[in-house]
Amino acid sequence: ELGYGFRGATFAANLNLYRTAWNDRTLTQGIQNPDGTFSTANILGVNAIHQGVEFDFTYKPSDKLSIIGMLSLGDWKWDSDVENVEIYDEEQNLIDTVNLYISGLKVSDAAQTTAALGLDYELMDKTHFTLDYNYFDDLYADYDPNDRGSQGDPQAWKAPAYSTFDDSIRHGFKIGDLDTTLTARMNNVFDTEYIADALDGSGSVAETALVWFGYGRTFNISAKIKF
């Protein structure tokens, strides 16, 4: 991991490069025994690579306005096939041989590309308005690597990229000697329809994926009191 940070009078930023090798990870697979009962077996020797670049910054063009942003570009994938893993029962009888053809397949269930841009403007003393833009891409449907037992099995289905806007207004005041902040927030301002999570299906295509849509426009009000 390698990082660099910059701090100036109105601008601050961080840049981080990372590469993580997850070697000899263990996967668990269900096995049917010769007598019809089921047990589990640990599949060893599975490797994965997580690498990418992360950038964030804060810019204050004036005393009242702050601009905050971030960008994360990831490349997370399985790094090795596992072939001819022999599974034995407690009496050392061979009951199955396992192959996992996952080399080069993307790690699933998390967006590998994300970005955000936010504005914070002080309308008046202790009253701030914020607007946040959020972007998500390269989200691959969740799948079990144990199901990739044939050469040429496809990449998991990738959900469409999406973006949302959130805004809020917060006001600080006193309740006696206690500092209090009241915040009203609107999430997904434009009521964007998007897929927040997915489970891979047969053939790894959109028609067979099981998907969960994200929340539409929502509102909340909260109060924070410091004792």
Side-chain angles (χ1 to χ4, degrees):
E1 185 171 350
L2 179 65
Y4 175 77
F6 173 81
R7 300 292 181 270
T10 61
F11 181 78
N14 299 293
L15 178 65
N16 186 56
L17 306 175
Y18 66 92
R19 178 182 171 87
T20 303
W22 298 81
N23 291 330
D24 202 21
R25 297 183 63 177
T26 301
L27 297 177
T28 302
Q29 185 174 85
I31 300 294
Q32 184 173 8
N33 299 311
D35 61 2
T37 61
F38 290 88
S39 58
T40 58
N42 292 326
I43 311 299
L44 306 178
V46 180
N47 302 331
I49 296 291
H50 288 209
Q51 59 187 356
V53 56
E54 299 172 331
F55 174 73
D56 66 83
F57 74 91
T58 301
Y59 174 51
K60 290 182 65 68
S62 71
D63 291 338
K64 291 183 176 295
L65 177 63
S66 296
I67 302 173
I68 303 169
M70 61 80 64
L71 173 66
S72 177
L73 303 174
D75 180 20
W76 312 336
K77 59 188 178 183
W78 298 105
D79 192 47
S80 62
D81 293 328
V82 179
E83 297 183 89
N84 300 319
V85 178
E86 296 180 339
I87 307 298
Y88 294 86
D89 63 15
E90 295 180 353
E91 297 178 356
Q92 297 304 301
N93 297 310
L94 178 65
I95 57 175
D96 201 359
T97 300
V98 174
N99 296 303
L100 302 181
Y101 295 104
I102 57 176
S103 180
L105 297 184
K106 295 288 188 176
V107 175
S108 64
D109 208 28
Q112 298 190 24
T113 298
T114 59
L117 183 65
L119 306 177
D120 185 311
Y121 185 74
E122 186 178 16
L123 298 172
M124 55 185 181
D125 185 39
K126 296 185 179 180
T127 302
H128 290 252
F129 171 78
T130 65
L131 178 64
D132 299 310
Y133 168 78
N134 306 286
Y135 175 80
F136 302 88
D137 196 7
D138 295 320
L139 170 63
Y140 293 87
D142 192 22
Y143 67 96
D144 186 350
N146 292 315
D147 294 335
R148 294 320 199 244
S150 301
Q151 289 182 326
D153 278 344
Q155 188 76 258
W157 177 69
K158 187 173 77 168
Y162 67 92
S163 57
T164 61
F165 285 87
D166 307 320
D167 66 13
S168 71
I169 187 167
R170 68 181 186 275
H171 176 65
F173 57 96
K174 289 279 192 180
I175 298 179
D177 294 329
L178 304 177
D179 291 324
T180 305
T181 302
L182 187 65
T183 302
R185 186 170 184 85
M186 181 191 303
N187 301 302
N188 194 0
V189 173
F190 299 108
D191 201 23
T192 300
E193 185 177 88
Y194 63 92
I195 295 173
D197 203 359
L199 184 63
D200 205 35
S202 176
S204 299
V205 294
E207 290 75 13
T208 61
L210 178 62
V211 303
W212 288 264
F213 287 92
Y215 289 107
R217 185 186 300 113
T218 60
F219 305 85
N220 65 71
I221 298 176
S222 63
K224 180 171 67 176
I225 302 175
K226 291 184 178 180
F227 292 91

